[in-house]
Amino acid sequence: MRCRILEDGELDALTRELPVQVWNSLAASRLYGSTLDLVCLSRQGKAVGTWVCPLDGQDPVFARRAFRLLPYASPWVDPELHPSARHRVVMAMAATLMERADAVELPMDPRFGEVAALLEAGADVLCRHTRVLDTTDGAAVRSGYLPTVHNHIRAAAVRHTVERVPPERFDFARAIVGQPAEAVAARRRSGLEVDRDHPTLCLSAVDGDGVCRGQVFVLRSAATAILLHSWFDRDGTRGVPSLLVDAAISGSAAELSALSFDFEGSVIPGIDRFMAGFGARAAAYPQVRWQRSARSEAELG
């Protein structure tokens, strides 16, 4: 396997021919602005792996997301390869990344299975998790909801309707709290950018007075719908979060042709329990960390 860094213009031509995830598309490179774009080639010159690595700073070079514009940042590897070849592809790309970067902090995704290659390359791997729901059978999906979830959906449906709206009407400021204004602006640009090239679903819960009480923003990558952003009023709007998530799950299957629904996880126990209430199973994914020198944790941020 041979890995090299893509030059300007090459990523667009390459990814047009490959079924890469959203975070390895040209849109990802445009969104992050500064990226290290890698390609791994077979002996025959076929592209068998690619990795768009966002960069945060030039000195030192830190491969990480300054803002969480997309849910994950794992490489794409040709699924037709033998497992041993997939291992070598990730090894080659990780080695090239480590040659150019001073530090790495990137989340893989639940479908990434080459953890051993990252470890062999010398990276540290932390375990994170999300919640993922199989949506191929709609009736079976709803039968897996807890009774309290069904009750909340029924209660909210009496006073609210769910409407599909264009991404321009999603209130990013309410969905992204506790972050600076530049982070909110960047993530709004991200949502509108990916909508131009990738399937999205934006839903609003509206009460009888026409007031929007909550929204969800879903992005599809490959056959998976990912709950990228959400917000809900907390003043007497019982059940709106459950109503919107239920609509997002069914809408993702019907309108985005998604086979699974990724809640994108949460480290907050209460939110994680809310996700589990829909029958979504915990799905682990690796968070890759590596540094060239023995910098302190505080220096790496």
Side-chain angles (χ1 to χ4, degrees):
M1 302 294 176
R2 178 172 61 89
C3 184
R4 68 176 180 84
I5 298 170
L6 292 169
E7 298 178 359
D8 290 346
E10 287 190 291
L11 181 65
D12 185 23
L14 176 70
T15 55
R16 284 180 184 177
E17 305 299 325
L18 300 174
V20 300
Q21 313 97 318
V22 175
W23 47 90
N24 282 307
S25 67
L26 181 63
S29 183
R30 287 198 300 255
L31 284 171
Y32 287 115
S34 179
T35 59
L36 184 67
D37 304 332
L38 306 176
V39 63
C40 189
L41 304 171
S42 68
R43 290 182 179 178
Q44 294 75 31
K46 178 186 176 183
V48 291
T50 187
W51 195 0
V52 173
C53 302
L55 301 179
D56 182 15
Q58 299 297 324
D59 186 21
V61 178
F62 202 158
R64 70 172 174 184
R65 304 172 301 171
F67 304 122
R68 187 182 65 84
L69 303 184
L70 293 169
Y72 305 109
S74 54
W76 174 84
V77 185
D78 187 345
E80 300 300 320
L81 292 179
H82 188 277
S84 64
R86 292 176 57 85
H87 182 96
R88 293 197 303 275
V89 168
V90 174
M91 278 277 293
M93 289 193 290
T96 302
L97 174 59
M98 291 172 180
E99 288 172 4
R100 295 296 299 268
D102 296 294
V104 178
E105 176 87 31
L106 293 174
M108 303 296 96
D109 78 89
R111 292 149 289 278
F112 177 80
E114 309 307 322
V115 177
L118 297 171
L119 293 171
E120 187 174 342
D124 292 323
V125 175
L126 304 179
C127 183
R128 299 285 186 260
H129 83 277
T130 181
R131 295 272 175 179
V132 178
L133 191 61
D134 184 332
T135 58
T136 53
D137 185 339
V141 168
R142 285 200 169 100
S143 69
Y145 293 0
L146 289 177
T148 52
V149 172
H150 286 290
N151 291 338
H152 287 160
I153 293 171
R154 283 192 293 267
V158 172
R159 295 177 294 169
H160 302 83
T161 57
V162 176
E163 303 174 353
R164 183 169 187 175
V165 297
E168 291 82 0
R169 288 177 55 189
F170 187 85
D171 194 340
F172 287 88
R174 298 197 65 177
I176 303 161
V177 296
Q179 295 191 32
E182 57 266 31
V184 176
R187 289 171 73 171
R188 185 178 191 276
R189 288 195 301 272
S190 172
L192 300 182
E193 172 76 22
V194 297
D195 177 66
R196 284 192 282 270
D197 299 320
H198 302 276
T200 62
L201 179 66
C202 185
L203 302 175
S204 297
V206 180
D207 67 14
D209 296 321
V211 178
C212 182
R213 296 297 186 177
Q215 293 182 304
V216 290
F217 188 105
V218 178
L219 166 67
R220 196 193 80 185
S221 179
T224 299
I226 304 171
L227 182 59
L228 192 58
H229 300 296
S230 63
W231 68 267
F232 314 102
D233 270 349
R234 301 187 183 278
D235 54 347
T237 54
R238 177 175 176 263
V240 166
S242 296
L243 177 68
L244 272 172
V245 170
D246 174 63
I249 291 170
S250 59
S252 296
E255 299 181 47
L256 303 184
S257 301
L259 303 181
S260 62
F261 188 87
D262 183 347
F263 284 77
E264 213 204 344
S266 176
V267 297
I268 301 173
I271 296 178
D272 186 64
R273 288 193 295 271
F274 169 77
M275 296 172 179
F278 290 85
R281 296 183 180 275
Y285 65 88
Q287 177 92 2
V288 180
R289 297 197 71 181
W290 174 84
Q291 53 185 334
R292 183 179 303 282
S293 61
R295 293 193 181 95
S296 66
E297 292 290 320
E299 184 180 352
L300 286 177

